[in-house]
Amino acid sequence: MTPDGVYASICRFCHAHCGILVEISGGRPTRVTGDRENPLFRGFSCAKGRQLGLQHDHPERVLRSQARAADGELAPIATQRAIDEVAE
């Protein structure tokens, strides 16, 4: 578990990779803001980036590779197998 505090990072939502600060409380992200110390973005972050904490804890977030079974339901699949199947 990540200790509570504020951590400098980058937003991975799009290609810009804006500098962000992520506040952690109880091992969970609680707030994401632009990092004013970032020399390129100087504190700018878009609305999507500021929602990263909510995305991280979203109950429908996909955490493992999945494949659709014959019955149409999604089932866990080994990541390497998923990569191989997509490559085919």
Side-chain angles (χ1 to χ4, degrees):
M1 179 165 53
T2 304
D4 290 355
V6 178
Y7 295 86
S9 187
I10 60 167
C11 176
R12 292 161 178 84
F13 197 87
C14 75
H15 65 281
H17 301 295
C18 298
I20 58 173
L21 296 175
V22 181
E23 294 180 31
I24 303 292
S25 180
R28 298 269 190 221
T30 56
R31 186 173 180 209
V32 178
T33 57
D35 183 356
R36 293 185 187 276
E37 299 296 318
N38 181 282
L40 186 58
F41 295 98
R42 296 189 173 130
F44 171 81
S45 64
C46 73
K48 293 179 286 188
R50 291 188 301 273
Q51 299 302 311
L52 287 172
L54 295 174
Q55 293 172 17
H56 184 272
D57 281 337
H58 195 280
E60 294 179 16
R61 178 178 171 207
V62 177
L63 299 175
R64 291 165 185 75
S65 299
Q66 299 179 0
R68 197 162 303 281
D71 64 2
E73 293 294 316
L74 291 172
I77 184 176
T79 300
Q80 188 58 54
R81 180 176 166 200
I83 292 169
D84 293 343
E85 288 184 13
V86 168
E88 285 178 14

